[in-house]
Amino acid sequence: MADIRFDGKVAIVTGAGGGLGRQHALELARRGAKVVVNDLGGSMDGSGGSSEAAMKVVEEIKALGGEAIANGSSVTDDAGVALMVKQAMDQWGRIDILIANAGVLRDKSFSKMDMPDFEFVLNVHLMGTVKPVKAVWEIMKAQNYGRIVVTTSSSGLYGNFGQSNYGAAKLGIVGFMNTIKLEGQKNGVHVNAISPVAATRMTEGLMPPEVLEKLKPEYVTPGVIYLASDEAPTGAILTAGAGAFALSRIYETEGVYLGENGLSAEEVRDSWGQISDETGQKPYFAGGEQGQKFFRKMAGG
């Protein structure tokens, strides 16, 4: 099969000044895309800001013979996001790909976490995904083409001690994706999620060096490139790390219909073994077989 190429396409990558975002931006450029390199340039907890990191990646892309421009907007700032999109449209006249990668960490156990830290992380990850997507949405629909890759995490999918804020945001992103994938499909806008495990400044203090060496960001990027390509599926959650790739899915058990007359909490308790039985469980798709089965159960059919 032919190589995946992005000749003539325009991509925005948020949080592209380092780590995963930098690798995504560089690889898109190597494959022919024109790239807006967005990075606020703040510290890991989101404080501060500088356009230096984004400019360095732009210089790397230009050294490869590619085209790129830098943007230092915060993904939570409406005016800044609008400027980022305007720069792309003014420069190249279209936007084909959005990789929503920007993020921060403020880890603490829930008992010790202050609400401002919870809200800040939720805002950067969730609203910092929603706002760029909203800004490119009508452009992509009008083109009848778009590829959006959002960034989730195992902390959201499965939980992780000390990351209630981060986990809530990352699973919220999946819920967002699950709806807009339906709304964008008729206009050729595909939306997928990457769930990466990589050695970045967010993870460098969490694992020993020999493990981090096997978790280079460039081992995740091939999955992102595929999800941004013409052949991409829609609605997939692709886990990636150390060269391994897998799909994460939400499953629903076969369950049991208990009826409506005299329904009680005790019946739910006594049926728990059947409710939780994994035999025959299938991925849940709203509007699909499982969704229809749910509504048939509700109707008593």
Side-chain angles (χ1 to χ4, degrees):
M1 297 179 69
D3 290 345
I4 293 173
R5 296 288 304 174
F6 299 99
D7 302 295
K9 290 188 168 63
V10 176
I12 295 174
V13 184
T14 69
L20 286 163
R22 172 179 169 272
Q23 288 297 328
H24 303 340
L26 288 171
E27 189 62 20
L28 284 164
R30 287 190 190 101
R31 293 172 180 267
K34 301 171 178 67
V35 184
V36 178
V37 179
N38 162 266
D39 201 282
L40 178 62
S43 63
M44 190 173 68
D45 68 0
S47 58
S50 167
S51 60
E52 184 180 351
M55 286 300 302
K56 284 183 177 179
V57 177
V58 168
E59 290 168 7
E60 288 184 83
I61 289 173
K62 289 182 176 179
L64 294 170
E67 293 184 53
I69 56 176
N71 172 272
S73 299
S74 167
V75 290
T76 64
D77 176 58
D78 293 330
V81 170
L83 175 62
M84 177 176 69
V85 171
K86 184 177 185 299
Q87 283 180 289
M89 294 300 289
D90 287 350
Q91 187 82 9
W92 297 303
R94 62 184 297 116
I95 299 169
D96 302 279
I97 298 162
L98 171 65
I99 311 296
N101 169 78
V104 295
L105 285 180
R106 292 187 179 183
D107 291 356
K108 284 183 181 177
S109 69
F110 190 60
S111 295
K112 297 178 180 179
M113 186 174 295
D114 297 325
M115 279 297 101
D117 284 344
F118 197 105
E119 291 171 351
F120 182 79
V121 170
L122 195 70
N123 196 33
V124 171
H125 285 276
L126 181 54
M127 296 310 299
T129 295
V130 172
K131 290 184 177 186
V133 170
K134 180 65 173 176
V136 304
W137 190 251
E138 296 304 322
I139 295 169
M140 290 182 172
K141 284 178 66 179
Q143 294 170 168
N144 282 312
Y145 184 90
R147 295 293 183 267
I148 296 170
V149 182
V150 299
T151 306
T152 185
S153 169
S154 59
S155 296
L157 298 172
Y158 312 114
N160 192 30
F161 188 94
Q163 291 193 320
S164 58
N165 50 3
Y166 181 72
K170 287 305 191 182
L171 193 55
I173 289 169
V174 172
F176 174 60
M177 177 197 75
N178 282 339
T179 292
I180 64 170
K181 74 180 182 187
L182 303 175
E183 296 183 12
Q185 198 160 11
K186 70 178 181 180
N187 293 105
V189 181
H190 293 198
V191 190
N192 294 285
I194 189 77
S195 178
V197 180
T200 67
R201 64 178 183 168
M202 284 189 173
T203 58
E204 62 185 6
L206 303 178
M207 290 173 271
E210 59 272 19
V211 174
L212 293 174
E213 178 63 24
K214 296 181 181 297
L215 295 174
K216 293 179 179 179
E218 51 264 45
Y219 298 158
V220 171
T221 295
V224 172
I225 295 300
Y226 171 65
L227 294 179
S229 71
D230 289 347
E231 300 92 342
T234 193
I237 304 170
L238 180 63
T239 67
F245 299 88
L247 279 185
S248 178
R249 289 173 170 165
I250 296 173
Y251 280 83
E252 183 174 306
T253 64
E254 179 69 20
V256 59
Y257 179 67
L258 298 177
E260 299 172 10
N261 296 327
L263 184 61
S264 68
E266 288 76 18
E267 284 186 276
V268 175
R269 176 200 63 196
D270 296 343
S271 303
W272 192 253
Q274 190 173 352
I275 292 169
S276 61
D277 185 359
E278 297 178 3
T279 304
Q281 69 181 15
K282 296 179 180 179
Y284 182 87
F285 297 104
E289 181 183 348
Q290 289 295 91
Q292 293 301 318
K293 184 180 293 184
F294 172 77
F295 290 114
R296 286 198 299 272
K297 284 180 182 177
M298 286 186 65

